[in-house]
Amino acid sequence: MSSVTSSLKVTRNYKFRLYPNKEQESQLLRWLETCRWIYNTALAQRKETWERERRTVTRIEQQVWLKEAKKTDEHLREIHSQVAQEVLFRVERAFAAFFRRVKNGETPGYPRFKGRGRYKSITFTQFGEGKGASFQDGKLRLSKIGLVKIKLHREIHGTIKTVIVKRDAAGKWWAVFAVEKELTQSQANNGPAVGLDAGLEKFAALSDGSIIENPRHLRKTEKRLKHAQRNLSRKVKGSRNREKARQKLARLHAKIHNQRRDFLHKQSRRLVETYGLIAVEKLNIKGMVKNHRLAKSISDAGWGEFMAMLEYKAAEAGARLVKVNPSGTSQECSGCGMDVPKELSERTHYCPYCGLILDRDVNAARNILKKALALEAA
């Protein structure tokens, strides 16, 4: 590959742990409940107006309503204006997604009202000195909240556009910064080309014969999850013991999520730093998870998240990610190109025409690479 100079603007999220004091946490919880009320009220307005007048209430109309409502509601006046206004944008996005699904013939899924405890984040849409959120003395300054302790475990590169303050199911607080940065690539990655076949038996097989084993984070913790779920179901609703059991279950789910993301980040980073061209399949993951026998294993593997990581990390590293049609990659012989049908249970590819014997997933990875190279040459 030759040297290239290119510039690309991308948005990245940086997530850091927050440690609000008791007073700040109490205030943040009140804000979440107020935002939940705004969301549900705005949703009800749209629903009732459509049923009564057969027209859609616009966000501008609802912004006027919110401005008037603040005059008589002290809870609305307590929260920052950016945070309150952003709730209306969420309602608008929820309806836009609903109408898009209707248009595409998908299951529509009408926007739902948020129950108590179901509204988990607030957004400051501007960041910087004199704005809704900023850094001050090594802490995160949130307007009307104050200085909140934050663990900045890594440096932020780029321009912070927004910050989301969220509370997870285990009761921990986080700040998620949306950061815009410009990537300048002065040199392409000149590493070798590789094909990658994602699977369930193995996480992935590469065309060079190497294997990435499937860690199965969910499966390994399944017994503990079932025990925690049973323990929760036995507790009296509204009791302290039930809340403790709920938090224990939430911590287990959070641990699995963090383990999976750590694994995916490390593997995707290793691949883009090692290879100059990475060929993968175009996977219809939404369609695949409809298979109830495989849905849990597919979700546990995290293919969709992995592909998204590969895509943006390849752009940063100067590598190329090429997606190909997976049709026939498992049945075709990578050695002679002949069709060699095999059942899913057959894990070894044996070609009766050229005598090639190798792992069926490695064979598929080689075919994926062939397709990608053909696309590049076209």
CSV table of all heavy atoms in Angstrom, one decimal, residues 17-72:
chain,number,residue,atom,x,y,z
A,17,ARG,N,-15.9,7.3,36.0
A,17,ARG,CA,-16.8,7.1,37.2
A,17,ARG,C,-16.9,8.4,38.0
A,17,ARG,O,-15.9,9.1,38.1
A,17,ARG,CB,-16.1,6.0,38.1
A,17,ARG,CG,-16.8,5.7,39.4
A,17,ARG,CD,-18.0,4.8,39.2
A,17,ARG,NE,-18.7,4.6,40.5
A,17,ARG,CZ,-18.3,3.7,41.4
A,17,ARG,NH1,-17.3,2.9,41.2
A,17,ARG,NH2,-19.0,3.6,42.5
A,18,LEU,N,-18.1,8.7,38.4
A,18,LEU,CA,-18.4,9.8,39.2
A,18,LEU,C,-18.7,9.4,40.7
A,18,LEU,O,-19.2,8.3,40.9
A,18,LEU,CB,-19.7,10.5,38.7
A,18,LEU,CG,-19.6,11.4,37.4
A,18,LEU,CD1,-20.9,12.0,37.1
A,18,LEU,CD2,-18.5,12.5,37.6
A,19,TYR,N,-18.3,10.3,41.6
A,19,TYR,CA,-18.5,10.0,43.0
A,19,TYR,C,-19.2,11.2,43.6
A,19,TYR,O,-18.6,12.0,44.4
A,19,TYR,CB,-17.2,9.8,43.7
A,19,TYR,CG,-16.5,8.5,43.2
A,19,TYR,CD1,-15.6,8.6,42.2
A,19,TYR,CD2,-16.7,7.3,43.8
A,19,TYR,CE1,-14.9,7.5,41.7
A,19,TYR,CE2,-16.1,6.2,43.3
A,19,TYR,CZ,-15.2,6.3,42.3
A,19,TYR,OH,-14.5,5.1,41.8
A,20,PRO,N,-20.5,11.4,43.4
A,20,PRO,CA,-21.3,12.5,44.0
A,20,PRO,C,-21.4,12.3,45.5
A,20,PRO,O,-21.5,11.1,46.0
A,20,PRO,CB,-22.6,12.5,43.3
A,20,PRO,CG,-22.8,11.1,42.8
A,20,PRO,CD,-21.4,10.6,42.5
A,21,ASN,N,-21.4,13.4,46.3
A,21,ASN,CA,-21.7,13.2,47.7
A,21,ASN,C,-23.2,13.0,47.9
A,21,ASN,O,-24.0,13.0,47.0
A,21,ASN,CB,-21.2,14.4,48.5
A,21,ASN,CG,-21.8,15.8,48.1
A,21,ASN,OD1,-23.0,15.8,47.7
A,21,ASN,ND2,-21.0,16.8,48.0
A,22,LYS,N,-23.6,12.8,49.2
A,22,LYS,CA,-25.0,12.4,49.4
A,22,LYS,C,-26.0,13.5,49.0
A,22,LYS,O,-27.0,13.2,48.4
A,22,LYS,CB,-25.2,12.2,50.9
A,22,LYS,CG,-24.6,10.8,51.4
A,22,LYS,CD,-24.9,10.5,52.8
A,22,LYS,CE,-24.3,9.2,53.3
A,22,LYS,NZ,-24.6,8.9,54.7
A,23,GLU,N,-25.6,14.8,49.2
A,23,GLU,CA,-26.5,15.9,48.8
A,23,GLU,C,-26.6,15.9,47.3
A,23,GLU,O,-27.7,16.1,46.7
A,23,GLU,CB,-26.0,17.2,49.3
A,23,GLU,CG,-26.9,18.4,49.1
A,23,GLU,CD,-26.3,19.7,49.6
A,23,GLU,OE1,-25.4,19.6,50.5
A,23,GLU,OE2,-26.7,20.7,49.1
A,24,GLN,N,-25.4,15.8,46.6
A,24,GLN,CA,-25.4,15.8,45.1
A,24,GLN,C,-26.2,14.7,44.5
A,24,GLN,O,-27.0,14.8,43.6
A,24,GLN,CB,-24.0,15.8,44.6
A,24,GLN,CG,-23.3,17.1,44.9
A,24,GLN,CD,-21.8,17.0,44.6
A,24,GLN,OE1,-21.2,15.9,44.6
A,24,GLN,NE2,-21.1,18.1,44.4
A,25,GLU,N,-26.0,13.5,45.1
A,25,GLU,CA,-26.8,12.3,44.6
A,25,GLU,C,-28.3,12.5,44.8
A,25,GLU,O,-29.0,12.1,43.9
A,25,GLU,CB,-26.3,11.0,45.4
A,25,GLU,CG,-27.0,9.8,44.8
A,25,GLU,CD,-26.4,8.5,45.4
A,25,GLU,OE1,-26.0,8.5,46.6
A,25,GLU,OE2,-26.3,7.5,44.7
A,26,SER,N,-28.7,13.0,45.9
A,26,SER,CA,-30.1,13.2,46.2
A,26,SER,C,-30.7,14.2,45.1
A,26,SER,O,-31.8,14.0,44.6
A,26,SER,CB,-30.3,13.8,47.6
A,26,SER,OG,-31.6,14.1,47.8
A,27,GLN,N,-29.9,15.2,44.8
A,27,GLN,CA,-30.3,16.2,43.8
A,27,GLN,C,-30.4,15.6,42.4
A,27,GLN,O,-31.3,15.9,41.7
A,27,GLN,CB,-29.4,17.4,43.8
A,27,GLN,CG,-29.9,18.6,43.1
A,27,GLN,CD,-29.1,19.9,43.3
A,27,GLN,OE1,-28.1,19.9,44.1
A,27,GLN,NE2,-29.4,20.9,42.6
A,28,LEU,N,-29.4,14.8,42.1
A,28,LEU,CA,-29.4,14.1,40.8
A,28,LEU,C,-30.6,13.2,40.6
A,28,LEU,O,-31.2,13.1,39.6
A,28,LEU,CB,-28.1,13.4,40.6
A,28,LEU,CG,-26.8,14.2,40.3
A,28,LEU,CD1,-25.6,13.4,40.4
A,28,LEU,CD2,-26.9,14.8,38.9
A,29,LEU,N,-30.9,12.5,41.7
A,29,LEU,CA,-32.1,11.6,41.7
A,29,LEU,C,-33.4,12.4,41.5
A,29,LEU,O,-34.3,11.9,40.8
A,29,LEU,CB,-32.1,10.8,43.0
A,29,LEU,CG,-31.0,9.7,43.1
A,29,LEU,CD1,-31.1,9.1,44.5
A,29,LEU,CD2,-31.2,8.6,42.1
A,30,ARG,N,-33.5,13.6,42.1
A,30,ARG,CA,-34.7,14.4,41.9
A,30,ARG,C,-34.7,14.9,40.5
A,30,ARG,O,-35.8,14.9,39.9
A,30,ARG,CB,-34.6,15.6,42.8
A,30,ARG,CG,-34.9,15.3,44.3
A,30,ARG,CD,-35.3,16.5,45.1
A,30,ARG,NE,-34.4,17.6,45.0
A,30,ARG,CZ,-33.3,17.8,45.7
A,30,ARG,NH1,-33.0,16.9,46.7
A,30,ARG,NH2,-32.5,18.8,45.6
A,31,TRP,N,-33.6,15.2,39.9
A,31,TRP,CA,-33.6,15.6,38.5
A,31,TRP,C,-34.0,14.5,37.6
A,31,TRP,O,-34.8,14.8,36.6
A,31,TRP,CB,-32.1,16.1,38.1
A,31,TRP,CG,-31.7,17.4,38.6
A,31,TRP,CD1,-32.2,18.1,39.7
A,31,TRP,CD2,-30.8,18.3,38.0
A,31,TRP,NE1,-31.6,19.3,39.8
A,31,TRP,CE2,-30.7,19.5,38.8
A,31,TRP,CE3,-30.0,18.2,36.9
A,31,TRP,CZ2,-29.9,20.5,38.5
A,31,TRP,CZ3,-29.1,19.2,36.6
A,31,TRP,CH2,-29.1,20.4,37.4
A,32,LEU,N,-33.6,13.3,37.9
A,32,LEU,CA,-34.0,12.2,37.0
A,32,LEU,C,-35.5,12.0,37.1
A,32,LEU,O,-36.1,11.7,36.0
A,32,LEU,CB,-33.3,10.9,37.5
A,32,LEU,CG,-31.8,10.7,37.2
A,32,LEU,CD1,-31.2,9.5,37.8
A,32,LEU,CD2,-31.5,10.7,35.7
A,33,GLU,N,-36.1,12.1,38.2
A,33,GLU,CA,-37.5,12.0,38.4
A,33,GLU,C,-38.3,13.1,37.6
A,33,GLU,O,-39.3,12.9,37.0
A,33,GLU,CB,-37.9,11.9,39.8
A,33,GLU,CG,-37.8,10.5,40.5
A,33,GLU,CD,-38.6,9.5,39.7
A,33,GLU,OE1,-39.9,9.6,39.8
A,33,GLU,OE2,-38.0,8.6,39.1
A,34,THR,N,-37.7,14.3,37.7
A,34,THR,CA,-38.3,15.4,37.0
A,34,THR,C,-38.3,15.2,35.5
A,34,THR,O,-39.2,15.5,34.8
A,34,THR,CB,-37.7,16.8,37.4
A,34,THR,OG1,-37.7,16.9,38.9
A,34,THR,CG2,-38.3,17.9,36.8
A,35,CYS,N,-37.1,14.8,35.1
A,35,CYS,CA,-37.0,14.5,33.6
A,35,CYS,C,-37.9,13.4,33.2
A,35,CYS,O,-38.4,13.5,32.0
A,35,CYS,CB,-35.5,14.1,33.3
A,35,CYS,SG,-34.4,15.5,33.4
A,36,ARG,N,-38.1,12.4,34.0
A,36,ARG,CA,-39.0,11.3,33.7
A,36,ARG,C,-40.4,11.9,33.6
A,36,ARG,O,-41.2,11.5,32.6
A,36,ARG,CB,-39.0,10.3,34.8
A,36,ARG,CG,-39.9,9.1,34.5
A,36,ARG,CD,-39.7,8.0,35.6
A,36,ARG,NE,-40.4,8.4,36.9
A,36,ARG,CZ,-41.6,8.1,37.2
A,36,ARG,NH1,-42.4,7.5,36.3
A,36,ARG,NH2,-42.2,8.5,38.3
A,37,TRP,N,-40.8,12.8,34.4
A,37,TRP,CA,-42.1,13.5,34.4
A,37,TRP,C,-42.3,14.3,33.1
A,37,TRP,O,-43.3,14.2,32.4
A,37,TRP,CB,-42.3,14.4,35.6
A,37,TRP,CG,-43.7,15.1,35.5
A,37,TRP,CD1,-44.9,14.6,36.0
A,37,TRP,CD2,-44.0,16.4,35.0
A,37,TRP,NE1,-45.9,15.5,35.8
A,37,TRP,CE2,-45.4,16.6,35.2
A,37,TRP,CE3,-43.2,17.3,34.4
A,37,TRP,CZ2,-46.0,17.7,34.7
A,37,TRP,CZ3,-43.8,18.5,34.0
A,37,TRP,CH2,-45.2,18.7,34.1
A,38,ILE,N,-41.2,15.0,32.7
A,38,ILE,CA,-41.3,15.8,31.4
A,38,ILE,C,-41.4,14.8,30.3
A,38,ILE,O,-42.2,15.1,29.4
A,38,ILE,CB,-40.0,16.6,31.3
A,38,ILE,CG1,-39.8,17.7,32.4
A,38,ILE,CG2,-39.9,17.3,29.9
A,38,ILE,CD1,-38.5,18.4,32.4
A,39,TYR,N,-40.7,13.7,30.3
A,39,TYR,CA,-40.7,12.8,29.2
A,39,TYR,C,-42.1,12.2,29.0
A,39,TYR,O,-42.7,12.2,27.9
A,39,TYR,CB,-39.7,11.7,29.4
A,39,TYR,CG,-39.6,10.7,28.3
A,39,TYR,CD1,-38.6,10.8,27.3
A,39,TYR,CD2,-40.5,9.6,28.2
A,39,TYR,CE1,-38.5,9.9,26.3
A,39,TYR,CE2,-40.4,8.7,27.1
A,39,TYR,CZ,-39.4,8.8,26.2
A,39,TYR,OH,-39.3,7.9,25.2
A,40,ASN,N,-42.7,11.7,30.1
A,40,ASN,CA,-44.0,11.1,30.1
A,40,ASN,C,-45.1,12.1,29.7
A,40,ASN,O,-46.0,11.7,29.0
A,40,ASN,CB,-44.3,10.5,31.5
A,40,ASN,CG,-43.5,9.2,31.7
A,40,ASN,OD1,-43.0,8.6,30.8
A,40,ASN,ND2,-43.4,8.8,33.0
A,41,THR,N,-45.0,13.3,30.2
A,41,THR,CA,-46.0,14.3,29.9
A,41,THR,C,-45.9,14.7,28.4
A,41,THR,O,-46.9,14.8,27.7
A,41,THR,CB,-45.8,15.6,30.7
A,41,THR,OG1,-45.8,15.3,32.1
A,41,THR,CG2,-46.9,16.6,30.5
A,42,ALA,N,-44.7,14.9,27.9
A,42,ALA,CA,-44.5,15.2,26.5
A,42,ALA,C,-45.0,14.1,25.6
A,42,ALA,O,-45.7,14.3,24.5
A,42,ALA,CB,-43.0,15.5,26.2
A,43,LEU,N,-44.8,12.8,26.0
A,43,LEU,CA,-45.3,11.7,25.3
A,43,LEU,C,-46.8,11.6,25.3
A,43,LEU,O,-47.4,11.4,24.2
A,43,LEU,CB,-44.7,10.4,25.9
A,43,LEU,CG,-45.0,9.1,25.2
A,43,LEU,CD1,-44.4,9.1,23.8
A,43,LEU,CD2,-44.4,7.9,26.0
A,44,ALA,N,-47.4,11.9,26.4
A,44,ALA,CA,-48.9,11.9,26.5
A,44,ALA,C,-49.5,13.0,25.7
A,44,ALA,O,-50.5,12.8,25.0
A,44,ALA,CB,-49.3,12.1,28.0
A,45,GLN,N,-48.8,14.2,25.6
A,45,GLN,CA,-49.3,15.3,24.8
A,45,GLN,C,-49.4,14.8,23.3
A,45,GLN,O,-50.4,15.1,22.6
A,45,GLN,CB,-48.4,16.5,24.9
A,45,GLN,CG,-48.6,17.2,26.3
A,45,GLN,CD,-47.5,18.3,26.4
A,45,GLN,OE1,-46.7,18.5,25.5
A,45,GLN,NE2,-47.7,19.1,27.4
A,46,ARG,N,-48.3,14.2,22.9
A,46,ARG,CA,-48.3,13.8,21.5
A,46,ARG,C,-49.4,12.7,21.2
A,46,ARG,O,-50.0,12.8,20.1
A,46,ARG,CB,-46.9,13.2,21.1
A,46,ARG,CG,-45.8,14.3,21.1
A,46,ARG,CD,-44.5,13.8,20.6
A,46,ARG,NE,-43.5,14.9,20.4
A,46,ARG,CZ,-42.8,15.0,19.3
A,46,ARG,NH1,-42.9,14.2,18.3
A,46,ARG,NH2,-41.9,16.0,19.3
A,47,LYS,N,-49.5,11.8,22.1
A,47,LYS,CA,-50.5,10.7,21.9
A,47,LYS,C,-51.9,11.2,21.9
A,47,LYS,O,-52.7,10.9,21.0
A,47,LYS,CB,-50.3,9.7,23.1
A,47,LYS,CG,-51.1,8.4,23.0
A,47,LYS,CD,-50.8,7.4,24.1
A,47,LYS,CE,-51.5,6.1,23.9
A,47,LYS,NZ,-52.9,6.3,24.1
A,48,GLU,N,-52.2,12.1,22.9
A,48,GLU,CA,-53.6,12.6,23.0
A,48,GLU,C,-53.9,13.5,21.8
A,48,GLU,O,-55.0,13.5,21.3
A,48,GLU,CB,-53.7,13.4,24.3
A,48,GLU,CG,-53.7,12.4,25.5
A,48,GLU,CD,-53.5,13.2,26.9
A,48,GLU,OE1,-53.5,14.4,26.8
A,48,GLU,OE2,-53.3,12.5,27.9
A,49,THR,N,-52.9,14.4,21.4
A,49,THR,CA,-53.2,15.3,20.3
A,49,THR,C,-53.5,14.5,19.0
A,49,THR,O,-54.3,14.9,18.2
A,49,THR,CB,-52.0,16.3,20.1
A,49,THR,OG1,-51.8,17.0,21.3
A,49,THR,CG2,-52.3,17.2,19.0
A,50,TRP,N,-52.7,13.4,18.8
A,50,TRP,CA,-52.9,12.6,17.6
A,50,TRP,C,-54.3,12.0,17.6
A,50,TRP,O,-55.0,11.9,16.6
A,50,TRP,CB,-51.8,11.6,17.5
A,50,TRP,CG,-52.1,10.7,16.3
A,50,TRP,CD1,-52.6,9.4,16.3
A,50,TRP,CD2,-51.9,11.0,14.9
A,50,TRP,NE1,-52.7,8.9,15.1
A,50,TRP,CE2,-52.3,9.8,14.2
A,50,TRP,CE3,-51.4,12.1,14.2
A,50,TRP,CZ2,-52.2,9.8,12.8
A,50,TRP,CZ3,-51.3,12.0,12.9
A,50,TRP,CH2,-51.7,10.9,12.1
A,51,GLU,N,-54.7,11.4,18.8
A,51,GLU,CA,-56.0,10.7,18.9
A,51,GLU,C,-57.1,11.7,18.7
A,51,GLU,O,-58.2,11.4,18.2
A,51,GLU,CB,-56.1,10.0,20.2
A,51,GLU,CG,-55.1,8.8,20.4
A,51,GLU,CD,-55.1,8.2,21.7
A,51,GLU,OE1,-55.7,8.9,22.7
A,51,GLU,OE2,-54.5,7.1,21.9
A,52,ARG,N,-56.9,13.0,19.2
A,52,ARG,CA,-58.0,14.0,19.2
A,52,ARG,C,-58.1,14.8,17.9
A,52,ARG,O,-59.1,15.0,17.3
A,52,ARG,CB,-57.8,14.9,20.4
A,52,ARG,CG,-59.0,15.9,20.6
A,52,ARG,CD,-58.8,16.7,21.9
A,52,ARG,NE,-57.6,17.5,21.8
A,52,ARG,CZ,-56.5,17.3,22.6
A,52,ARG,NH1,-56.5,16.3,23.5
A,52,ARG,NH2,-55.4,18.0,22.5
A,53,GLU,N,-56.9,15.2,17.4
A,53,GLU,CA,-56.8,16.1,16.3
A,53,GLU,C,-56.2,15.5,15.0
A,53,GLU,O,-56.1,16.1,14.0
A,53,GLU,CB,-56.1,17.4,16.7
A,53,GLU,CG,-56.7,18.1,17.9
A,53,GLU,CD,-55.8,19.2,18.3
A,53,GLU,OE1,-55.1,19.8,17.5
A,53,GLU,OE2,-55.9,19.6,19.5
A,54,ARG,N,-55.6,14.3,15.1
A,54,ARG,CA,-54.9,13.6,14.0
A,54,ARG,C,-53.8,14.5,13.5
A,54,ARG,O,-53.6,14.7,12.3
A,54,ARG,CB,-55.9,13.3,12.9
A,54,ARG,CG,-56.7,12.0,13.1
A,54,ARG,CD,-55.8,10.8,13.2
A,54,ARG,NE,-56.5,9.6,13.3
A,54,ARG,CZ,-56.8,9.0,14.5
A,54,ARG,NH1,-56.4,9.5,15.6
A,54,ARG,NH2,-57.4,7.8,14.5
A,55,ARG,N,-53.0,15.1,14.4
A,55,ARG,CA,-51.8,15.9,14.0
A,55,ARG,C,-50.7,15.6,15.1
A,55,ARG,O,-51.0,15.2,16.2
A,55,ARG,CB,-52.1,17.4,14.0
A,55,ARG,CG,-52.3,18.1,15.3
A,55,ARG,CD,-52.4,19.6,15.1
A,55,ARG,NE,-52.5,20.2,16.5
A,55,ARG,CZ,-51.4,20.6,17.1
A,55,ARG,NH1,-50.2,20.5,16.6
A,55,ARG,NH2,-51.5,21.2,18.3
A,56,THR,N,-49.5,15.9,14.6
A,56,THR,CA,-48.3,15.6,15.5
A,56,THR,C,-47.9,16.9,16.2
A,56,THR,O,-47.7,17.9,15.6
A,56,THR,CB,-47.1,15.1,14.7
A,56,THR,OG1,-47.5,13.9,14.0
A,56,THR,CG2,-45.9,14.8,15.5
A,57,VAL,N,-47.7,16.8,17.5
A,57,VAL,CA,-47.2,18.0,18.3
A,57,VAL,C,-45.7,18.1,18.0
A,57,VAL,O,-45.0,17.1,18.1
A,57,VAL,CB,-47.4,17.8,19.8
A,57,VAL,CG1,-46.8,18.9,20.6
A,57,VAL,CG2,-48.9,17.7,20.1
A,58,THR,N,-45.3,19.3,17.7
A,58,THR,CA,-43.8,19.5,17.3
A,58,THR,C,-43.0,19.7,18.6
A,58,THR,O,-43.6,20.1,19.6
A,58,THR,CB,-43.6,20.7,16.4
A,58,THR,OG1,-44.0,21.9,17.1
A,58,THR,CG2,-44.5,20.5,15.1
A,59,ARG,N,-41.7,19.5,18.5
A,59,ARG,CA,-40.8,19.8,19.6
A,59,ARG,C,-40.9,21.3,20.0
A,59,ARG,O,-40.8,21.7,21.1
A,59,ARG,CB,-39.4,19.4,19.3
A,59,ARG,CG,-38.4,19.8,20.3
A,59,ARG,CD,-37.0,19.2,20.0
A,59,ARG,NE,-36.6,19.5,18.7
A,59,ARG,CZ,-36.1,20.6,18.3
A,59,ARG,NH1,-36.0,21.7,19.1
A,59,ARG,NH2,-35.7,20.8,17.0
A,60,ILE,N,-41.0,22.2,19.0
A,60,ILE,CA,-41.0,23.6,19.2
A,60,ILE,C,-42.3,24.0,20.1
A,60,ILE,O,-42.2,24.7,21.1
A,60,ILE,CB,-41.1,24.4,17.9
A,60,ILE,CG1,-39.9,24.1,17.0
A,60,ILE,CG2,-41.2,25.9,18.2
A,60,ILE,CD1,-38.5,24.4,17.7
A,61,GLU,N,-43.4,23.3,19.8
A,61,GLU,CA,-44.6,23.6,20.6
A,61,GLU,C,-44.4,23.1,22.0
A,61,GLU,O,-44.8,23.8,23.0
A,61,GLU,CB,-45.8,22.8,20.0
A,61,GLU,CG,-46.3,23.4,18.7
A,61,GLU,CD,-47.5,22.5,18.2
A,61,GLU,OE1,-47.2,21.5,17.5
A,61,GLU,OE2,-48.7,22.8,18.5
A,62,GLN,N,-43.7,22.0,22.2
A,62,GLN,CA,-43.5,21.4,23.5
A,62,GLN,C,-42.4,22.3,24.3
A,62,GLN,O,-42.5,22.3,25.5
A,62,GLN,CB,-43.1,20.0,23.4
A,62,GLN,CG,-44.2,19.1,22.9
A,62,GLN,CD,-44.0,17.6,23.1
A,62,GLN,OE1,-42.9,17.1,22.8
A,62,GLN,NE2,-45.0,16.9,23.6
A,63,GLN,N,-41.5,22.9,23.6
A,63,GLN,CA,-40.5,23.8,24.2
A,63,GLN,C,-41.2,25.0,24.8
A,63,GLN,O,-40.9,25.4,25.9
A,63,GLN,CB,-39.4,24.2,23.2
A,63,GLN,CG,-38.4,23.1,23.0
A,63,GLN,CD,-37.4,23.4,21.9
A,63,GLN,OE1,-37.7,24.2,21.0
A,63,GLN,NE2,-36.2,23.0,22.1
A,64,VAL,N,-42.2,25.5,24.1
A,64,VAL,CA,-43.0,26.6,24.6
A,64,VAL,C,-43.8,26.2,25.8
A,64,VAL,O,-43.9,26.9,26.8
A,64,VAL,CB,-44.0,27.1,23.5
A,64,VAL,CG1,-45.0,28.2,24.0
A,64,VAL,CG2,-43.2,27.7,22.3
A,65,TRP,N,-44.4,25.0,25.7
A,65,TRP,CA,-45.1,24.5,26.9
A,65,TRP,C,-44.2,24.4,28.1
A,65,TRP,O,-44.6,24.8,29.2
A,65,TRP,CB,-45.7,23.1,26.6
A,65,TRP,CG,-46.0,22.3,27.8
A,65,TRP,CD1,-47.0,22.4,28.7
A,65,TRP,CD2,-45.2,21.2,28.3
A,65,TRP,NE1,-46.9,21.5,29.8
A,65,TRP,CE2,-45.7,20.8,29.5
A,65,TRP,CE3,-44.0,20.6,27.9
A,65,TRP,CZ2,-45.2,19.8,30.3
A,65,TRP,CZ3,-43.5,19.6,28.6
A,65,TRP,CH2,-44.0,19.1,29.8
A,66,LEU,N,-43.0,23.8,27.9
A,66,LEU,CA,-42.1,23.6,29.0
A,66,LEU,C,-41.7,25.0,29.7
A,66,LEU,O,-41.6,25.1,30.9
A,66,LEU,CB,-40.8,22.9,28.5
A,66,LEU,CG,-39.8,22.5,29.6
A,66,LEU,CD1,-40.4,21.6,30.7
A,66,LEU,CD2,-38.7,21.7,28.9
A,67,LYS,N,-41.5,26.0,28.8
A,67,LYS,CA,-41.1,27.3,29.3
A,67,LYS,C,-42.2,27.9,30.2
A,67,LYS,O,-41.9,28.5,31.2
A,67,LYS,CB,-40.8,28.2,28.1
A,67,LYS,CG,-40.3,29.6,28.5
A,67,LYS,CD,-39.9,30.4,27.3
A,67,LYS,CE,-39.4,31.8,27.6
A,67,LYS,NZ,-39.1,32.6,26.4
A,68,GLU,N,-43.4,27.7,29.8
A,68,GLU,CA,-44.6,28.2,30.6
A,68,GLU,C,-44.7,27.4,31.9
A,68,GLU,O,-45.0,28.0,32.9
A,68,GLU,CB,-45.8,28.1,29.7
A,68,GLU,CG,-45.9,29.1,28.6
A,68,GLU,CD,-45.8,30.6,29.1
A,68,GLU,OE1,-46.6,30.9,30.0
A,68,GLU,OE2,-45.0,31.3,28.5
A,69,ALA,N,-44.5,26.1,31.8
A,69,ALA,CA,-44.7,25.2,32.9
A,69,ALA,C,-43.7,25.6,34.0
A,69,ALA,O,-44.0,25.4,35.2
A,69,ALA,CB,-44.6,23.8,32.5
A,70,LYS,N,-42.5,26.0,33.6
A,70,LYS,CA,-41.5,26.3,34.6
A,70,LYS,C,-41.9,27.5,35.5
A,70,LYS,O,-41.4,27.6,36.7
A,70,LYS,CB,-40.2,26.7,33.9
A,70,LYS,CG,-39.3,25.6,33.4
A,70,LYS,CD,-38.0,26.1,32.9
A,70,LYS,CE,-37.1,25.0,32.5
A,70,LYS,NZ,-35.8,25.4,32.0
A,71,LYS,N,-42.8,28.3,35.0
A,71,LYS,CA,-43.2,29.5,35.8
A,71,LYS,C,-43.9,29.1,37.1
A,71,LYS,O,-43.9,29.9,38.1
A,71,LYS,CB,-44.0,30.5,35.0
A,71,LYS,CG,-43.3,31.1,33.8
A,71,LYS,CD,-44.2,31.9,32.9
A,71,LYS,CE,-43.4,32.5,31.7
A,71,LYS,NZ,-44.3,33.3,30.9
A,72,THR,N,-44.6,28.0,37.0
A,72,THR,CA,-45.4,27.6,38.2
A,72,THR,C,-44.9,26.3,38.9
A,72,THR,O,-45.5,25.9,39.9
A,72,THR,CB,-46.9,27.3,37.7
A,72,THR,OG1,-46.9,26.4,36.7
A,72,THR,CG2,-47.5,28.6,37.2
